Amino acid sequence: MTTINGTLQGAGLRIAIVASRWNDTIVNRLKEGAVDALRRTGVSSDDVTIVHVPGSFELPLAVQKIAATGKYDAVIALGVVIRGATTHYDYVCSATTSGISKAGLDSGIPCLFGVLTTENIEQALERSGTKAGNKGEEVALAAVEMATLLKQL
Ligand code: INI
């Protein structure tokens, strides 16, 4: 039997973070969580590139383009979509989710989904470093695990 696992040893990995400016107070907390987690795994700050886009809807195109350069071992997408009163939420969530997934499958590079999709701002705050963890940290660790896993496959 052969078992293959990724690791949380990030030294030498090159990581891109794409962050949306919508709800930037909360996105910044995700970004801080991601950068801190990457540093703790040994990723050098020189190997982290941060790119900003207007909103979550724009994340997939930037993620796809960055992944296609072949310069990065993983691309992390960060955003916050809050439902509010319109169906706009559903369209933005749907396009963002499927686009980021497609970018990963098309490029063969792990493209991580660090987009909070919540009913209200309280839920987003809870998931950005208060009582329900920090989604940015979670996806950064997943990025290192996937990048180190794919190198073995
Ligand atoms: N973008 C977000 O990242 N979060 C939101 O909550 C949001 N809302 O509520 O509308 C949002 N909209 C902007 C969208 O992502 C695009 O930037 C815009 O439609 C231009 O394409």
Side-chain angles (χ1 to χ4, degrees):
M1 183 172 74
T2 303
T3 304
I4 304 174
N5 289 301
T7 73
L8 292 179
Q9 287 156 18
L13 294 180
R14 297 151 306 162
I15 309 287
I17 297 174
V18 190
S20 86
R21 278 195 291 271
W22 254 80
N23 299 310
D24 66 343
T25 307
I26 305 175
V27 175
N28 284 341
R29 296 162 64 122
L30 301 180
K31 215 163 40 178
E32 285 164 16
V35 167
D36 182 58
L38 292 174
R39 183 189 55 75
R40 283 188 280 116
T41 67
V43 175
S44 164
S45 60
D46 292 340
D47 290 330
V48 178
T49 300
I50 299 179
V51 175
H52 292 112
V53 295
S56 294
F57 187 81
E58 284 72 41
L59 286 169
L61 179 57
V63 167
Q64 184 182 57
K65 180 118 192 184
I66 291 165
T69 65
K71 293 182 186 165
Y72 299 95
D73 297 296
V75 185
I76 294 170
L78 299 178
V80 175
V81 193
I82 297 173
R83 182 179 286 280
T86 75
T87 55
H88 193 70
Y89 169 91
D90 298 306
Y91 296 122
V92 172
C93 289
S94 168
T96 305
T97 312
S98 57
I100 293 170
S101 168
K102 184 171 187 306
L105 295 173
D106 288 352
S107 65
I109 303 288
C111 293
L112 286 294
F113 185 73
V115 181
L116 292 177
T117 57
T118 65
E119 295 297 316
N120 52 51
I121 199 160
E122 288 74 23
Q123 289 178 349
L125 285 168
E126 284 172 11
R127 292 160 177 73
S128 60
T130 59
K131 69 179 184 188
N134 184 317
K135 178 61 87 179
E137 174 182 342
E138 178 194 323
V139 294
L141 296 177
V144 172
E145 182 174 346
M146 283 302 293
T148 54
L149 174 67
L150 288 200
K151 287 181 187 300
Q152 302 173 67
L153 298 180

